[in-house]
Amino acid sequence: MRVAIIGTGYVGLTTGVCLAFLGHSVSCLDTDASKIEALKAGKIPIYEPNLAELLAEAAPNMRFTSSYGEAIPDAEVVFIAVGTPPTPSGAPNLEYLSQAARSIGQCVNRDFTVVVNKSTVPIGSGNWVGSLLRDSYNNRPDRNGAEFAVASNPEFLREGTALHDSLYPDRIVIGADAQRALEVLYSLYRPILDQTFTAPTYLPRPDSVGAVPMLSTDLASAELIKYAANAFLALKISFINEIGLLAERVGANISEVARGIGLDSRIGPRFLSAGIGWGGSCFGKDTAALIATAGEYGLQMPIVESAKRINARQRDRVVEKLLQELKILKGRTIGLLGLAFKPNTDDLREAPAIEIAQKLIDRGVRVKVHDPIAVDRFLKEHGDMQVQICDNAADVSEDCDALVLVTEWNEYRDLDWESIGKRMRSPFILDGRHALDRDKLTRAGLRYATLS
Ligand code: UGA
């Protein structure tokens, strides 16, 4: 099928590459011409494992353009995957979404086009996009009876495993009021639903993956599913962090507690890793948006609000723990291992490392940082931050009064801890992710602590 994707961020690019890999003909559109030039030259603007390989394989089915006039008229399906960044009130900024909807309306030309919202948008946005499209189309002197329908197809991929999550999803959710739109999207996703494609060697199909369920709903339900899923995952993390605080006081081991409750299949083991808490572009923004939407209906969301408060508290606990250990922070040197909001990405949006570094700088600490992937992005986005960037973890440790493991990159697990401890002024490590081996580090001569 012929597909257009508006927006070449994480979601748009991943979706485009996967659909092209499945054999569809895909035009990726971004109004940022420099991004399109880079993509045409085979350069990928984000770090995502295997994206370069899959893009190279899918390239014959892909076009990159900044022109709506090129991408839209032939497309049977148009995905909107533009950014919806948070505004200070918590409600997302829908400027890009409305521009995309109007521009699509200017160019649709087929007898039937399905316009799909893949961006995470407030409940009700499907209807709104529909009205923007209609207005824009109806204002055209050259309109020719083209028809279109709006659908919502929320995205559940995680950064760092985006391709795996797209090719082998737990479910596909489609919200649409028009049956015809559902049928078009069913055909588009059929290779994934039936898992009939040949898996790339570097992204093998897990044995557990069978047919993928597709859930078709009305527009509002699909939109709410996305927010409810992210809020639930976020509160699972905050729940384990809340229990972690008590575990610490009573002398219980939070990792064992998490394992013990996660083995109950009604609870499940995932998203119960205690530590610094969640970051990234989604959980913070989506929980804020959910609260903002509820507010518009005169409702409160006390559970989601608490989850946010607990998450913020985890950052403060890093500073408290360091204070407890070092007594005075002013004039100390503290090293942060990891900048990205989680491993296998260079994304720094709402990254705990940035918040923690700032809190430490505000208290007069000299901060040293390392990240295997995210340093370039850090320099671009936070170049004015007063931190010392180091090439490797060993250099970070030099003269440090404490190290904090912020992002659990794999390479941090097997460092030469003995020599790191020797290079530190005081060999104290705060493992913010329960990622390191306490016994190994203690044997190597470090004082090891966790947040709970
Ligand atoms: C999240 C959701 O997991 C995706 O399903 C969703 O599609 C995406 O948001 C989105 O809305 O676009 P993502 O933000 O990429 O994906 O990353 P996650 O793997 O969910 O991690 C989020 C944060 O939670 C990270 O900072 C991670 O370190 C933290 N986390 C995760 C924990 O602190 N503990 C855990 O047990 C799991």
Side-chain angles (χ1 to χ4, degrees):
M1 292 171 73
R2 276 183 296 273
V3 181
I5 315 238
I6 319 295
T8 58
Y10 277 100
V11 170
L13 197 55
T14 306
T15 306
V17 169
C18 286
L19 290 175
F21 168 75
L22 296 175
H24 298 300
S25 168
V26 178
S27 293
C28 287
L29 181 149
D30 204 298
T31 47
D32 180 343
S34 64
K35 263 194 183 173
I36 291 300
E37 284 318 307
L39 283 163
K40 278 184 179 164
K43 289 196 202 105
I44 298 180
I46 51 176
Y47 174 81
E48 180 62 40
N50 300 124
L51 189 55
E53 288 97 319
L54 203 66
L55 176 64
E57 252 183 89
N61 291 338
M62 295 192 82
R63 309 274 167 282
F64 295 101
T65 178
S66 292
S67 152
Y68 279 86
E70 257 175 51
I72 304 301
D74 286 339
E76 293 153 83
V77 182
V78 180
F79 283 98
I80 306 182
V82 296
T84 52
T87 61
S89 74
N93 174 353
L94 300 179
E95 186 52 36
Y96 304 118
L97 182 68
S98 89
Q99 271 169 17
R102 288 201 190 90
S103 308
I104 294 166
Q106 287 298 303
C107 298
V108 274
N109 208 26
R110 293 177 55 89
D111 62 336
F112 188 63
T113 309
V114 185
V115 178
V116 189
N117 250 334
K118 220 174 187 16
S119 307
T120 301
V121 291
I123 299 145
S125 300
N127 288 338
W128 180 63
V129 164
S131 69
L132 291 175
L133 263 166
R134 256 190 314 279
D135 287 352
S136 160
Y137 178 73
N138 287 338
N139 280 335
R140 266 166 61 183
D142 64 335
R143 60 184 187 279
N144 57 355
E147 281 187 36
F148 39 84
V150 175
S152 163
N153 171 211
E155 183 50 67
F156 302 107
L157 63 81
R158 292 159 299 169
E159 292 179 18
T161 50
L163 298 171
H164 180 277
D165 294 350
S166 301
L167 293 174
Y168 310 117
D170 289 342
R171 79 301 207 186
I172 290 180
V173 174
I174 310 274
D177 297 330
Q179 181 63 26
R180 198 170 165 194
L182 283 175
E183 283 160 16
V184 170
L185 292 174
Y186 183 76
S187 308
L188 182 83
Y189 280 128
R190 205 171 175 134
I192 294 181
L193 295 170
D194 298 345
Q195 288 290 307
T196 46
F197 63 89
T198 307
T201 48
Y202 43 88
L203 281 166
R205 178 176 290 115
D207 290 340
S208 56
V209 173
V212 171
M214 177 169 135
L215 178 67
S216 57
T217 70
D218 56 280
L219 271 171
S221 301
E223 289 166 348
L224 184 52
I225 284 169
K226 168 71 192 195
Y227 283 107
N230 271 0
F232 192 82
L233 292 169
L235 69 93
K236 227 178 152 185
I237 299 169
S238 281
F239 176 79
I240 203 65
N241 282 332
E242 180 170 274
I243 298 290
L245 194 56
L246 180 63
E248 185 189 39
R249 298 293 156 86
V250 303
N253 176 329
I254 190 60
S255 302
E256 298 281 289
V257 174
R259 194 168 316 138
I261 62 176
L263 281 168
D264 184 328
S265 58
R266 290 168 303 174
I267 297 174
R270 296 165 75 189
F271 279 70
L272 285 179
S273 297
I276 286 173
W278 80 69
S281 63
C282 306
F283 287 174
K285 184 179 68 142
D286 292 355
T287 47
L290 197 58
I291 292 166
T293 301
E296 287 168 19
Y297 291 85
L299 294 174
Q300 288 188 330
M301 301 245 117
I303 296 182
V304 183
E305 281 165 15
S306 301
K308 286 182 90 63
R309 269 198 306 277
I310 292 169
N311 199 53
R313 187 177 70 187
Q314 292 306 98
R315 320 298 205 236
D316 290 329
R317 281 176 50 70
V318 173
V319 178
E320 282 161 23
K321 281 265 168 175
L322 290 166
L323 257 177
Q324 222 174 7
E325 173 70 22
L326 302 173
K327 311 296 182 216
I328 291 170
L329 288 183
K330 205 174 175 64
R332 302 280 193 188
T333 302
I334 294 176
L336 304 184
L337 294 177
L339 288 167
F341 83 97
K342 66 173 189 176
N344 298 321
T345 178
D346 64 346
D347 197 337
L348 294 167
R349 285 175 288 178
E350 295 200 25
I354 309 292
E355 266 179 74
I356 292 166
Q358 195 55 54
K359 284 182 196 289
L360 294 175
I361 292 166
D362 292 346
R363 284 175 170 265
V365 173
R366 187 169 152 248
V367 176
K368 298 171 81 175
V369 299
H370 171 261
D371 190 284
I373 293 289
V375 166
D376 287 349
R377 191 174 287 278
F378 177 79
L379 287 171
K380 252 186 248 150
E381 295 175 3
H382 302 277
D384 52 351
M385 219 171 177
Q386 293 300 309
V387 300
Q388 183 185 337
I389 293 167
C390 301
D391 288 340
N392 54 56
D395 285 352
V396 177
S397 60
E398 193 74 50
D399 290 335
C400 271
D401 297 288
L403 280 177
V404 184
L405 180 103
V406 184
T407 315
E408 68 280 30
W409 286 97
N410 251 339
E411 65 176 66
Y412 294 149
R413 293 179 212 271
D414 298 314
L415 293 172
D416 178 353
W417 287 107
E418 207 171 319
S419 95
I420 287 188
K422 286 195 182 120
R423 293 172 82 158
M424 294 175 74
R425 195 175 297 144
S426 92
F428 174 71
I429 176 140
L430 179 57
D431 179 355
R433 295 290 185 184
H434 285 273
L436 305 173
D437 182 339
R438 175 191 291 269
D439 292 344
K440 191 164 137 192
L441 268 76
T442 311
R443 275 199 306 275
L446 284 104
R447 288 193 308 288
Y448 174 90
T450 53
L451 283 184
S452 51

